[in-house]
């Protein structure tokens, strides 16, 4: 479990490496979320600890795709992550916000049948989310966030909001409109924000599978490959990205499984987190007849 002591984070898989790129005293009012647009957690940490003649950057936290956290400065010191930015009459959010950088390649582009980052790395389809940014720009490929990374970000945001009585959880795209697109449409920002601010558990909707068996696929359509054996009726899901006919979901359970399911065979969970437990054991464990597997 994460905790804060003397403005430093403690917990499993948390480490500290002081960046030289810091300013004065910070009395934080917000959390500001970013993607690194980089290769790895380690490369992001190195970059945010480097002095650069053209302008150094930093942040308080870098959060890896496997959930690892590296803190680069105490939470009561200004770091340099927001640049030119405004929010509700405030200018320069560095002076008001704790910065969290999520290890993610950001906006990708198509090269033949691959999706490639700006630094030339290719990503398989299952790590790509096709979505339109809420600032527009049409349907484009974005590097996905892992379920463990999203869960860890939420846990950290909840802790920071309660520890420092923060007012809001924002994206860089909120405060630098037209200039920045991070954390982008692959990140469930509205849901994380709602949960971290305690605006009700249903802001990050929990769903259950209503078909006897439901395929989970690598993309939004029956033509995409199946990622795992069909999900059983009553399986709990977290809604990551709703779309018109299909939704990207994370499966609640011990395995890090996320993918796309058809909206016709999922439903909002009525009682919180009781779906699977409420089902008779027979419905949880009976192997599924293939013919009844949907979508
Ligand atoms: Zn940013």
């Amino acid at each position: 479990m994460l905790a804060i002591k003397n403005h430093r984070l403690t917990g499993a898989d948390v480490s500290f490496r002081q960046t030289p790129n810091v300013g004065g005293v910070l009395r934080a009012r917000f959390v500001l979320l970013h993607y690194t647009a980089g290769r790895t957690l380690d490369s992001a940490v190195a970059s945010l600890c480097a002095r650069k003649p053209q302008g150094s950057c930093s942040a308080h936290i870098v959060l890896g795709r496997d959930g690892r956290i590296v803190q680069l400065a105490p939470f009561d010191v200004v770091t340099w992550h927001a640049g030119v930015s405004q929010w509700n009459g405030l200018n320069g959010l560095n002076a008001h916000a704790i910065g969290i950088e999520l290890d993610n390649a950001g906006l990708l582009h198509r090269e033949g049948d691959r999706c490639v980052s700006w630094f030339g790395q290719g990503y398989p389809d299952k790590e790509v989310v096709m979505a339109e940014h809420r600032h527009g720009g049409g349907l484009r490929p974005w590097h996905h966030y892992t379920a463990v990374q999203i869960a860890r970000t939420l846990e950290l945001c909840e802790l920071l909001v309660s520890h420092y009585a923060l007012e809001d959880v924002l994206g860089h795209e909120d405060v630098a409109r037209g200039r920045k697109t991070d954390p982008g449409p692959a990140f469930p920002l509205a849901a994380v924000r709602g949960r971290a601010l305690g605006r009700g558990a249903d802001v990050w909707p929990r769903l259950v599978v209503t078909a006897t068996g439901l395929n989970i696929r690598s993309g939004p359509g029956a033509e995409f490959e199946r990622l795992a054996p069909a999900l059983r009726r009553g399986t709990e899901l977290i809604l990551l990205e709703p779309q018109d006919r299909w939704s990207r979901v994370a499966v609640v359970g011990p395995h890090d499984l996320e993918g796309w399911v058809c909206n016709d065979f999922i439903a909002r969970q009525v009682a919180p987190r009781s779906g699977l437990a409420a089902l008779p054991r027979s419905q949880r464990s009976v192997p599924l007849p293939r013919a009844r597997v949907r979508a």
Side-chain angles (χ1 to χ4, degrees):
M1 215 178 81
L2 296 173
I4 296 170
K5 198 172 177 191
N6 294 330
H7 307 291
R8 286 204 190 197
L9 199 60
T10 63
D13 296 320
V14 173
S15 59
F16 188 93
R17 176 178 164 183
Q18 179 70 54
T19 176
N21 305 328
V22 293
V25 173
L26 172 65
R27 288 199 179 80
R29 295 172 58 184
F30 309 99
V31 177
L32 199 52
L33 297 173
H34 306 259
Y35 56 55
T36 58
R39 287 169 197 278
T40 63
L41 175 69
D42 292 340
S43 69
V45 168
S47 173
L48 297 168
C49 290
R51 297 294 270 183
K52 297 173 187 166
Q54 71 274 28
S56 304
C57 303
S58 59
H60 293 90
I61 294 285
V62 189
L63 205 153
R65 304 183 65 74
D66 57 1
R68 270 186 302 150
I69 292 175
V70 182
Q71 185 173 6
L72 305 180
F75 296 124
D76 63 343
V77 172
V78 167
T79 61
W80 305 334
H81 51 96
V84 176
S85 47
Q86 302 86 31
W87 185 252
N88 279 351
L90 293 172
N91 278 307
L93 269 288
N94 282 344
H96 307 284
I98 292 168
I100 299 178
E101 291 276 358
L102 305 172
D103 177 15
N104 180 286
L107 179 61
L108 308 175
H109 62 274
R110 283 249 167 233
E111 273 183 19
D113 55 0
R114 294 194 319 161
C115 283
V116 178
S117 65
W118 68 270
F119 47 84
Q121 186 168 327
Y123 295 88
D125 282 351
K126 67 179 170 62
E127 290 186 24
V128 176
V129 176
M130 290 299 299
E132 177 162 19
H133 198 282
R134 60 198 166 103
H135 298 171
L139 206 59
R140 292 185 291 175
W142 303 81
H143 192 200
H144 94 320
Y145 294 87
T146 68
V148 64
Q149 189 178 30
I150 293 169
R152 191 87 152 151
T153 305
L154 173 62
E155 184 188 1
L156 178 55
C157 287
E158 286 177 322
L159 175 64
L160 289 168
V161 165
S162 68
H163 191 88
Y164 291 106
L166 302 181
E167 297 166 31
D168 214 338
V169 175
L170 304 170
H172 204 183
E173 65 196 42
D174 292 314
V175 304
R177 261 188 113 86
R179 192 171 71 84
K180 291 292 177 180
T181 52
D182 56 320
F187 188 80
L189 180 59
V192 167
R193 181 185 196 189
R195 284 280 291 267
L197 298 174
R199 289 181 189 154
D202 60 346
V203 178
W204 195 339
R206 292 234 169 190
L207 307 170
V208 284
V209 173
T210 57
T212 311
L214 177 61
N215 285 317
I216 180 162
R217 297 182 178 276
S218 63
E223 69 275 21
F224 289 91
E225 63 169 327
R226 286 182 296 227
L227 298 176
L231 305 174
R232 290 171 180 159
R233 188 198 302 275
T235 300
E236 272 192 288
L237 309 169
I238 294 171
L239 181 61
L240 299 177
E241 185 196 348
Q243 285 194 4
D244 182 30
R245 290 207 53 240
W246 292 70
S247 292
R248 191 164 69 93
V249 298
V251 178
V252 176
H255 305 294
D256 186 14
L257 175 62
E258 57 178 75
W260 294 85
V261 295
C262 180
N263 293 345
D264 295 344
F265 308 109
I266 53 179
R268 291 284 175 114
Q269 206 168 4
V270 183
R273 299 176 194 210
S274 61
L276 188 58
L279 284 173
R281 174 152 282 282
S282 61
Q283 285 190 33
R284 283 188 260 162
S285 54
V286 171
L288 296 162
R290 263 207 119 62
R292 300 185 63 189
V293 172
R294 302 306 179 109

